[in-house]
């Protein structure tokens, strides 16, 4: 099974991706977590990515695509993946599809976690108190939300037009959101063949 989650910062992508991956025994691949690991360990990828991340900008696609190629291929061959944070733009989706389709590892379903902006702001401000993430600062957050609206939201139409989009109300208790994702996947199971 090959899924991806789309949601604004604070929508619960990481949490839900982890729970869905556990449920189906899939690999949870988070581009943000991988990038933060590269930054923390001072790799060349981390050194190139850090300034973009601190400002709440997108890291250049070539870096992210190079970083993800191996783990995504490995996961696809070993049962599947839940991608969280990638793709972030229509361009990234097109580039990844070009490679993945030939290898038979393209995404089957994109799940949109829909959460209103006020709820996102409240969640991220709360997360910033404990996460230690420099980009959970309120000003950077406003910018990340704008980046989401401008660059990532168009992905919803991209997957909708391809009949691969499921939308779940993410503004509910965590377990209810997971349950809705599982129910919707069950209803859309023809996409998973
Ligand atoms: P996230 O943990 O998904 O909120 O990502 C944190 C930060 O990592 C983002 O604000 C971007 O700077 C960077 N990032 C994560 N995924 C991507 C991606 N697919 N393309 C570009 N930048 C990304």
């Amino acid at each position: 099974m090959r899924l991806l989650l789309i949601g604004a910062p604070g929508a619960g992508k990481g949490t839900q991706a982890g729970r869905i991956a556990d449920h189906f025994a899939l690999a949870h691949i988070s581009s943000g977590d991988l990038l933060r690991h590269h930054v923390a360990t001072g790799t060349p990828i981390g050194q190139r990515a850090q300034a973009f991340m601190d400002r709440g900008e997108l890291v250049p696609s070539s870096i992210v695509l190079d970083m993800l190629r191996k783990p995504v291929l490995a996961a696809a061959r070993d049962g599947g993946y839940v991608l969280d944070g990638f793709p972030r733009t229509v361009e990234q989706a097109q580039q990844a599809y070009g490679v993945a389709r030939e290898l038979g590892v393209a995404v089957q379903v994109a799940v949109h976690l829909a959460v209103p902006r006020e709820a996102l702001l409240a969640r991220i401000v709360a997360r910033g108190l404990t996460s230690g993430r420099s980009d959970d600062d309120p000003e950077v957050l406003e910018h990340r939300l704008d980046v989401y609206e401008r660059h990532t939201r168009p992905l919803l139409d991209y997957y909708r037009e391809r009949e691969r989009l499921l939308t779940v109300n993410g503004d509910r208790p965590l377990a209810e959101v997971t349950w809705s994702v599982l129910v919707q996947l069950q209803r859309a199971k023809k996409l998973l063949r």
Side-chain angles (χ1 to χ4, degrees):
M1 189 182 290
R2 299 182 302 276
L3 310 177
L4 62 85
L5 293 194
I6 303 175
K13 284 189 312 279
T15 307
Q16 295 300 333
R19 290 167 64 89
I20 294 158
D22 284 350
H23 182 86
F24 293 112
L26 306 170
H28 171 197
I29 302 177
S30 158
S31 51
D33 285 351
L34 288 172
L35 285 167
R36 279 185 287 279
H37 184 71
H38 279 281
V39 170
T41 52
T43 68
I45 288 181
Q47 287 168 15
R48 289 167 67 197
Q50 180 161 27
F52 296 97
M53 295 175 74
D54 284 346
R55 292 196 303 267
E57 298 286 351
L58 295 180
V59 172
S61 294
S62 56
I63 299 179
V64 181
L65 280 154
D66 279 353
M67 175 185 80
L68 289 176
R69 188 168 289 119
K70 255 201 203 160
V72 170
L73 278 178
R77 292 193 177 119
D78 188 26
Y81 57 73
V82 182
L83 261 176
D84 137 29
F86 179 90
R88 258 324 206 266
T89 63
V90 170
E91 189 200 10
Q92 286 184 356
Q94 287 167 332
Q95 285 175 349
Y97 185 64
V99 182
R101 186 191 38 184
E102 282 176 25
L103 299 169
V105 302
V107 72
Q108 295 165 301
V109 172
V111 179
H112 173 213
L113 292 180
V115 177
R117 190 167 173 123
E118 317 78 72
L120 295 170
L121 284 165
R123 283 191 197 181
I124 297 250
V125 170
R127 182 171 85 184
L129 298 174
T130 54
S131 73
R133 279 179 57 166
S134 52
D135 62 352
D136 277 347
D137 158 280
E139 266 175 37
V140 179
L141 171 65
E142 289 273 357
H143 185 58
R144 286 165 62 209
L145 289 174
D146 291 342
V147 168
Y148 173 80
E149 290 299 326
R150 198 160 358 116
H151 297 288
T152 307
R153 189 176 276 287
L155 267 180
L156 301 179
D157 281 338
Y158 175 89
Y159 288 110
R160 193 177 291 118
E161 283 160 14
R162 286 159 182 77
E163 299 184 351
R164 302 232 162 242
L165 186 72
L166 304 180
T167 299
V168 168
N169 171 5
D171 192 17
R172 289 179 296 167
L174 196 154
E176 270 182 45
V177 177
T178 311
W179 180 245
S180 288
V181 175
L182 297 177
V183 168
Q184 292 232 32
L185 286 172
Q186 173 66 23
R187 288 193 190 133
K189 61 178 184 277
K190 67 175 192 302
L191 295 176
L192 297 167
R193 274 186 213 125

